[in-house]
């Protein structure tokens, strides 16, 4: 469904990604594991059209995404939830969410239906819908960020470090929510440093180091791989 072939990315003279090959079939939950600076966010930014690949192809279904405007990529159904949430802190929760539905603005009834679905998934956001997004806890802000992405009705959702900076109990709830989104039919690419929690809900995973894929396999293969356990799980 989503396929990256031989993707390379340069930041000036620095090659941030080198020959990346990743695929996610419809309905899969695929995890990208790697330390800070490994290239996970660069993969997402390139897939989203915010960075232009130096080489390679990114296909979503029958469509080539390289060279397509980011807004058109969202229209195709590929939606990124960025690292750090990137909310508008002085705007209300409801307005932040509605910005995610902008791509479907001509379908007001559909947008309102999706908003109700987001509130059903995250009841606290309905309760705090008039509160400024910046006044929410870290976990609640992450709910807004994911909810905003869901407002775009993604077919493939790119989640970049959703557990970063959250309390352990909130992290557990967040991964349960991500699994629920995936089980409802949305393909998910999840970039995470929390390897154990991410792999537990994944179908497959890739390990990224220095802008290259150094390992790939099923959830069980990577959970039971001694090198992966030592580097990312700590056991």
């Amino acid at each position: 469904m989503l396929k990256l072939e031989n993707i390379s990315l340069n930041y000036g003279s620095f090659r941030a990604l080198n020959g990346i090959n990743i695929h996610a079939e419809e309905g899969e939950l695929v995890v990208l594991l790697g330390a800070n600076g490994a290239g996970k966010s660069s993969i997402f930014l390139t897939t989203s059209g915010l960075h232009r690949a130096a080489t390679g192809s990114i296909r979503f279904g029958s469509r080539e995404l390289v060279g397509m405007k980011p807004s058109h990529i969202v229209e195709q159904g590929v939606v990124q939830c960025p690292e750090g949430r990137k909310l508008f802190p002085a705007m209300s929760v409801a307005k932040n969410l509605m910005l995610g539905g902008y791509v479907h603005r001509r379908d007001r009834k559909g947008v309102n239906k999706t908003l109700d679905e987001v509130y059903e998934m995250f009841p606290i956001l309905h309760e705090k819908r008039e509160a400024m997004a910046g006044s929410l806890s870290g976990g609640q802000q992450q709910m807004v960020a994911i909810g905003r992405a869901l407002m775009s009705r993604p077919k493939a959702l790119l989640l970049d470090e959703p557990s970063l900076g959250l309390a352990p109990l909130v992290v557990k709830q967040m991964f349960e929510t991500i699994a629920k989104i995936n089980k409802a039919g949305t393909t998910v690419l999840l970039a995470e440093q929390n390897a154990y929690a991410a792999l537990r809900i994944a179908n497959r995973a890739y390990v990224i180091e220095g802008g290259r894929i150094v390992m790939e396999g099923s959830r069980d293969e990577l959970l039971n791989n001694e090198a992966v356990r030592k580097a990312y799980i700590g056991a």
Side-chain angles (χ1 to χ4, degrees), residues 91-145:
M91 292 175 59
S92 70
V93 167
K95 287 183 178 178
N96 270 274
L97 293 173
M98 290 301 288
L99 284 172
Y102 182 77
V103 68
H104 302 296
R105 60 194 177 279
R106 293 182 179 86
D107 179 18
R108 183 174 294 274
K109 185 176 180 180
V111 169
N112 288 334
K113 180 176 181 294
T114 307
L115 182 63
D116 288 341
E117 292 169 353
V118 169
Y119 285 147
E120 184 177 352
M121 179 171 288
F122 301 115
I124 190 64
L125 299 188
H126 183 265
E127 180 182 326
K128 293 182 175 291
R129 61 191 181 279
E130 298 303 327
M132 297 300 100
S135 71
L136 272 57
S137 69
Q140 291 166 356
Q141 289 186 27
Q142 188 62 64
M143 292 176 193
V144 177

Side-chain angles (χ1 to χ4, degrees), residues 63-107:
R63 292 295 189 96
E64 174 61 53
L65 301 187
V66 173
M68 190 179 288
K69 291 181 179 179
S71 59
H72 292 167
I73 291 174
V74 172
E75 289 173 357
Q76 296 304 312
V78 179
V79 179
Q80 181 178 0
C81 182
E83 180 182 354
R85 300 149 198 162
K86 303 296 192 294
L87 302 181
F88 294 90
M91 292 175 59
S92 70
V93 167
K95 287 183 178 178
N96 270 274
L97 293 173
M98 290 301 288
L99 284 172
Y102 182 77
V103 68
H104 302 296
R105 60 194 177 279
R106 293 182 179 86
D107 179 18

